[in-house]
Amino acid sequence: MALLVADLHATLAPFALFAALLRDQDVKEPAAQLDQWVAEVATSALSEMEPSATKLWQDREAVLAALTLPYSQGQTEGG
């Protein structure tokens, strides 16, 4: 049971970190935090997340703009 909980935590931790990066409007050094997240996912045992991390890295400038600019598409997306 303890191993299952540890595996679950290891799987959910990167999602929680990325969600916090998206939610926190006052992120200190978002570029560094995004780079760290991508590096951690790329070296983790979660091979399923590697393509997502790679795509975020490829679209790094757009992701950083989304993290730092005050604009939202909430109205056009129904949010």
Side-chain angles (χ1 to χ4, degrees), residues 10 15 18 26 29 38 45 49 52 55 61 64 73 76:
F15 291 106
F18 192 74
D26 298 324
E29 300 183 38
V38 169
M49 286 187 63
S52 297
K55 188 62 178 168
E61 294 305 314
L64 287 175
Q73 292 186 0
T76 58

Side-chain angles (χ1 to χ4, degrees), residues 21 24-33:
L21 187 60
D24 189 0
Q25 296 297 315
D26 298 324
V27 172
K28 304 281 190 277
E29 300 183 38
Q33 288 194 25

Side-chain angles (χ1 to χ4, degrees), residues 20-78:
L21 187 60
L22 290 174
R23 277 192 313 264
D24 189 0
Q25 296 297 315
D26 298 324
V27 172
K28 304 281 190 277
E29 300 183 38
Q33 288 194 25
L34 177 63
D35 294 346
Q36 179 181 351
W37 184 87
V38 169
E40 287 177 12
V41 169
T43 59
S44 75
L46 299 172
S47 60
E48 295 85 359
M49 286 187 63
E50 223 172 298
S52 297
T54 300
K55 188 62 178 168
L56 286 174
W57 182 254
Q58 290 170 347
D59 292 336
R60 184 176 182 271
E61 294 305 314
V63 174
L64 287 175
L67 293 174
T68 57
L69 295 176
Y71 309 111
S72 169
Q73 292 186 0
Q75 291 178 339
T76 58
E77 295 178 359

